[in-house]
Amino acid sequence: MDELPKLAQELREFIIDIVSTKEGHLGASLGVVELTIALHYVFDTPKDKLIWDVGHQAYGHKILTGRKEIFGTNRQLGGISGFPKRSESVYDDFGTGHSSTAISAILGMAMASRLNGDLAKQHIAVVGDASIASGMAFEGLNHLGVTDVNALIILNDNAIGIDPSVGALKKYLTNVKKGTAKDENIFECLNLNYSGPIDGHDIGALIKELEQLKQLGGPKLLHIITTKGRGLKKAEEDQVVYHAPGKFDKVTGERFKKVKGNEPPKYQDVFGHTLVELAERNDRIVGITPAMPTGSSLKFMMDKMPHRAFDVGIAEQHAVTLAAGMATQGLVPFCNIYSTFLQRAYDQVIHDVALQNIPVVFCLDRAGLVGQDGPTHHGVFDLAYLRCIPNLVVFAPMNEMELRNIMYTAQLGLSGPIAIRYPRGQGTTLDWKNDFEPIEIGTAKCLREGTKIAVLSIGHIGNEVKRAIATLDTPESVGHYDMRFAKPLDKKMLRTIFERYDHIITVEDGCKMGGFGSAVLEFANGERLSKPVTILGIPDKFVDHGTMEETHKMAGIDFDTLFSYLQSTLDQCG
């Protein structure tokens, strides 16, 4: 016991040492160092089951469970994942890259243990105060409270997820910490054995409480208070930035500034600034994000127009239907959600928006491969899962100006909903603040005409296609079309393309099955056109983590692969 505080210091220093040079998520793991040690001290993992919600805070857990020597490979190609992953270790009981799943999963495990007659096994889920406010977490708590399973929920309350926590539950937890909450405890009302709040950085107190709770049967909740970024002053002071700070000085905490020339902006910033620009002209525009104001750059509008921009917490389903409700009353909601997180609100997109043909503007950030966050965060399915929904327009800009113009077009007034998908990272253009021009829905652009092969690209990846074509031996043989709309397709242009070219190649930063290329094949089949069509996109597998360049190469949509395929196809064409 007396060595554990020293272990905590060493573990904290080790995490800081590695993340300062290799990058990754920092603040969340620093905040739960003492909790991590206490849990592994008290419980018999992996026999006892332990789930870390979201998994940003699981670095200490990974290091203590046999991965210290390879922790330097975290989030790198061929290395360990930045999130718990069942195939990586027997200590990772459940894969958690999205929030608020741990309570349901641990309840499922606890119920299985009871059905199997194993009443001694312990089941623990660590959930943050931002995650526990999500609808799915409440669904799990609601069920947990009417069971008699051996499950412990640890509420890690640090008042922040990635951005500061929001909502009425945050206010309630603040009052609990102050001792000013109303007499009734919300968790006790849900039939959970509540204890706390206690200092989550006091290892002795944590161990004592966990030992006591271990002897109690039934569902329990332990409320602990922690500081995100604990042990690194800069990370405690700026918890949003130090969630994932990039490279920094491990002693001072100062971030290393990348020497930047004049570079194109990130797509998220183009969205954020453009939304403010449009909202200043159109007072019906509102902005909505489920807990990602900084990541999505809705923060710009929240700072300038706080009464018209809303962070609704980790609640994607609510965000979508809230937007639908607003739109029925004449507002123009821009609902900004990462592509991978819109998956969590699929029924709301169908039932609450598209079925009623309500003009919500969905802005899907981080569409396509996202790099080191890996398969839990790659936004590669949206073209496929949205394209099949009636009434929904699906658009992908090739550059910043197209993003601005489609946002401008959307707020002019559409008859139904639209989804605008754009990637993580930078655009292509320095002078991107164009005068707005409306885009006719369902129209593509011919970028260059050719004689033999037509390449149909959608979205930002069209820039790589453009570069690859320019490098070919006979670039004049290849036509290039920026299709822009996955739905509705520009059928008039497609008919011209199929008449003119011998071979059609589609390129997308999305899954091949059911995506844009599939849409072109469906068109060709419906028109009884028999030209060969090749689809280049994400193959039917989950792409692992790595740099953006490495993930594109794994998927076969990187520059070298595009160039080689185009050149070899041209050679075959003669």
Side-chain angles (χ1 to χ4, degrees), residues 13-24 26 232 245-251 253-256:
E13 288 172 357
F14 185 78
I15 292 170
I16 292 170
D17 190 38
I18 297 291
V19 178
S20 67
T21 57
K22 303 289 186 177
E23 302 189 11
L26 179 71
L232 186 67
K247 294 181 181 178
F248 61 93
D249 185 301
K250 66 182 181 182
V251 177
E254 288 289 345
R255 296 163 70 218
F256 295 136

Side-chain angles (χ1 to χ4, degrees), residues 121-158:
K121 186 181 286 188
Q122 304 286 325
H123 309 84
I124 308 100
V126 181
V127 187
D129 59 287
S131 296
I132 209 166
S134 169
M136 186 177 177
F138 264 96
E139 291 169 25
L141 288 172
N142 186 49
H143 186 188
L144 177 63
V146 293
T147 69
D148 58 354
V149 298
N150 199 7
L152 168 62
I153 310 303
I154 297 177
L155 170 56
N156 175 31
D157 186 356
N158 57 18

